[in-house]
Amino acid sequence: MSPALKKCAYHVPDMTYMAVRPSNGMTWPRVLRMQLKHEPEVVILGNIPDRETAEIAIEAANRQQLILSGSRADSASLAVTQLLRLSGNPLDLAASLRLVCTQRLAPRLCPDCREAYPVEAGLQNRLAKCSAWTGLSYDTAATTGAGSH
Ligand SMILES: [Zn+2]
């Protein structure tokens, strides 16, 4: 695997990271081309920010290269719209795109001061063994590494 990222949050063993730094000439298209020369099994892009990067990624995907990319779109359908806007040829995009999925990050309640939330019996049966909680503060440690609120 060969990830290209602006910032690397986690280092995974056996991956060759390439940093995108436009100030040093390491633009997204250049880094992607450099990655593809090594014919990695999987290329991971932090983002597809421009038409040139999109065209290179789509062309590689149409040669059976697996390209995974993040997107800052608000939904899966908007991610497709964004790629359509960037790509020069919608037919090439359609031929190369296999999956678009989305995730939302939800804040976690502070585990120290959350309180059990009473749930009516019918809903509790549907929740099975899950618990409902309420609270006023969120667990910042989960996302920042810092202590709770
Ligand atoms: Zn707390």
Side-chain angles (χ1 to χ4, degrees):
M1 285 196 201
S2 180
L5 307 162
K6 267 198 157 174
K7 286 185 179 176
C8 183
Y10 305 101
H11 281 276
V12 178
D14 300 323
M15 284 200 188
T16 306
Y17 292 86
M18 296 188 80
V20 174
R21 289 200 184 91
S23 61
N24 292 346
M26 297 297 282
T27 61
W28 285 100
R30 183 170 182 208
V31 168
L32 179 54
R33 282 193 185 98
M34 290 169 71
Q35 288 178 302
L36 291 171
K37 282 182 184 173
H38 297 285
E39 299 182 4
E41 292 177 28
V42 182
V43 173
I44 301 172
L45 296 172
N47 191 14
I48 296 181
D50 53 51
R51 177 175 292 246
E52 188 177 1
T53 307
E55 288 174 349
I56 297 166
I58 290 168
E59 187 182 311
N62 282 330
R63 290 190 317 260
Q64 307 304 311
Q65 183 79 49
L66 180 57
I67 310 285
L68 305 174
S69 173
S71 169
R72 293 200 175 97
D74 289 336
S75 68
S77 59
L78 286 175
V80 175
T81 303
Q82 193 177 66
L83 277 172
L84 274 170
R85 201 175 305 126
L86 287 174
S87 73
N89 185 336
L91 294 177
D92 283 346
L93 176 63
S96 65
L97 194 60
R98 292 291 174 264
L99 172 72
V100 178
C101 62
T102 184
Q103 72 173 18
R104 292 219 178 259
L105 301 177
R108 268 187 9 193
L109 291 174
C110 172
D112 297 328
C113 53
R114 69 183 180 184
E115 296 173 5
Y117 184 80
V119 177
E120 66 179 75
L123 181 57
Q124 185 62 59
N125 288 340
R126 292 173 54 198
L127 289 173
K129 293 180 180 178
C130 295
S131 301
W133 302 94
T134 184
L136 296 176
S137 59
Y138 294 107
D139 183 7
T140 56
T143 54
T144 65
S148 298
H149 53 99

